[in-house]
């Protein structure tokens, strides 16, 4: 049975729990006896309904850890699971020793807002999605009394985009330099990124048997945090044509002991790319920015969007339209002129 004890100006309610042969006590303090009594009654009713009250004194971080290793590990791909593991570190830092019984939408909102102060809106949203999924599971198992996950919102702002597509001028400048300096293997990796729009992991996963005259069979992707070499999506499996000049350079790269054409370079490609662009006085971007550049260049040349989408390995054309077909500055200026000429001719 529950007990109510007066402690100074407050009242402490206590409910006895029995779980797996062990006795535990669930306690909470209230300012009035009525509140304490109502809470104790609610807890006793929950016990009668088979709610897992003993788990409510578990910290949220401990619950999340158990949840990802017992539940999510069998539900998601290895790379996705590693994202959950990284999120566990974030949760331990944010929530510390906060217990499941003390969680509500206000507590979680404050913590996610705190995280958003030093992280992008996108990163914050990805962390919150994992928190929400775990909270829904906790509610379904009776570890928390309310399903409040939907009340918590992502806030914050997005920093300036790092994956900027290069202008046509810089695209040509970079490509010409790479073709003129093919002895550096990294130059050929960057060149292939510009020529194909392949993801960095897809480029690093190229083996000799993935090459054909003149093109590349995209079948695998290398990741720095996992041994999983599967592609991002089923649509990412594709064949990409390349011109003869680039093909001849690629097939002459010595194959590494691990069977791949390109050296992983401890996955420092981003740092090497940044240094290269700085030396050439080209606006900084990322490997994904080179992918954006490839797509934007094809679009600027009026290449059919369905072909561009297939070449990039997107799930559908809408993905291509939403994220990759940003007009290059030169193309926008030309279309501005075309639009004004059209209006002047009326």
């Amino acid at each position: 049975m529950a007990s109510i004890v007066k402690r100074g100006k407050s009242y402490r309610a206590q409910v006895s729990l029995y779980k797996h042969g062990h006795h535990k006590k669930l306690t909470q303090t209230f300012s009035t006896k009525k509140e304490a009594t109502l809470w104790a009654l609610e807890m006793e009713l929950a016990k009668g309904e088979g709610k897992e009250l003993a788990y409510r004194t578990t910290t949220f971080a401990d619950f999340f850890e158990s949840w990802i290793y017992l539940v999510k590990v069998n539900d998601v791909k290895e790379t996705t699971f590693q994202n959950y593991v990284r999120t566990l570190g974030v949760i331990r830092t944010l929530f510390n020793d906060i217990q499941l019984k003390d969680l509500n939408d206000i507590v979680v909102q404050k913590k996610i807002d705190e995280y958003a102060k030093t992280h992008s809106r996108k990163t914050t949203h990805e962390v919150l999605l994992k928190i929400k999924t775990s909270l829904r599971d906790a509610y379904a198992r009776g570890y928390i009394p309310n399903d409040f996950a939907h009340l918590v919102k992502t806030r914050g702002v997005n920093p300036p985009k790092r994956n900027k597509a290069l202008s046509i001028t810089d695209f040509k400048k970079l490509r010409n330099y790479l073709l003129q300096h093919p002895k550096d293997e990294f130059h050929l990796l960057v060149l292939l990124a510009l020529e194909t729009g392949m993801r960095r992991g897809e480029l690093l996963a190229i083996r000799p048997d993935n090459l054909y005259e003149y093109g590349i069979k995209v079948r695998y992707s290398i990741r720095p945090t996992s041994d999983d070499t599967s592609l991002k999506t089923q649509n990412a499996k594709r064949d990409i044509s390349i011109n003869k000049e680039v093909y001849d350079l690629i097939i002459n790269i010595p194959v590494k002991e691990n069977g791949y054409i390109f050296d992983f370079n401890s996955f420092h490609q981003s740092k090497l790319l940044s240094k290269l662009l700085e030396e050439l006085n080209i606006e900084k971007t990322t490997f994904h920015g080179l992918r954006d550049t490839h797509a934007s260049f094809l679009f600027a040349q009026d290449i059919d969007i369905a072909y561009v989408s297939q070449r990039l390995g997107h799930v559908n054309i809408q993905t291509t339209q939403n994220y990759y077909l940003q007009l290059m500055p030169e193309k926008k200026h030309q279309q501005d002129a075309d639009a004004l000429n059209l209006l002047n001719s009326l």
Side-chain angles (χ1 to χ4, degrees), residues 2-14:
S3 63
I4 309 295
V5 179
K6 192 174 189 305
R7 297 176 64 88
K9 295 183 178 181
S10 61
Y11 293 83
R12 187 183 70 176
Q14 181 174 280

Side-chain angles (χ1 to χ4, degrees), residues 11 18 42 56-57 119 126 173 191 196 202 257 271:
Y11 293 83
Y18 182 79
E42 179 189 349
R56 293 188 181 181
T57 55
H119 296 81
E126 290 173 352
K173 181 179 180 180
L191 176 62
T196 65
E202 296 170 345
E257 291 185 4
K271 185 182 298 184

Side-chain angles (χ1 to χ4, degrees), residues 97-157:
D97 296 326
I98 295 178
Q99 298 177 350
L100 288 174
K101 67 182 179 66
D102 297 321
L103 287 182
N104 55 47
D105 59 297
I106 302 299
V107 171
V108 178
Q109 187 70 67
K110 286 182 177 179
K111 293 299 180 182
I112 206 66
D113 287 349
E114 178 183 332
Y115 184 74
K117 291 178 182 178
T118 55
H119 296 81
S120 70
R121 185 181 180 88
K122 179 181 178 182
T123 300
T124 303
H125 184 64
E126 290 173 352
V127 168
L128 180 57
L129 284 179
K130 293 176 176 61
I131 290 176
K132 284 185 173 183
T133 305
S134 69
L135 288 174
R136 292 189 183 100
D137 189 281
Y139 171 72
R141 298 173 189 274
Y143 302 166
I144 56 177
N146 299 306
D147 182 12
F148 59 80
H150 65 283
L151 297 174
V152 186
K153 308 298 181 184
T154 302
R155 293 172 181 157
V157 296

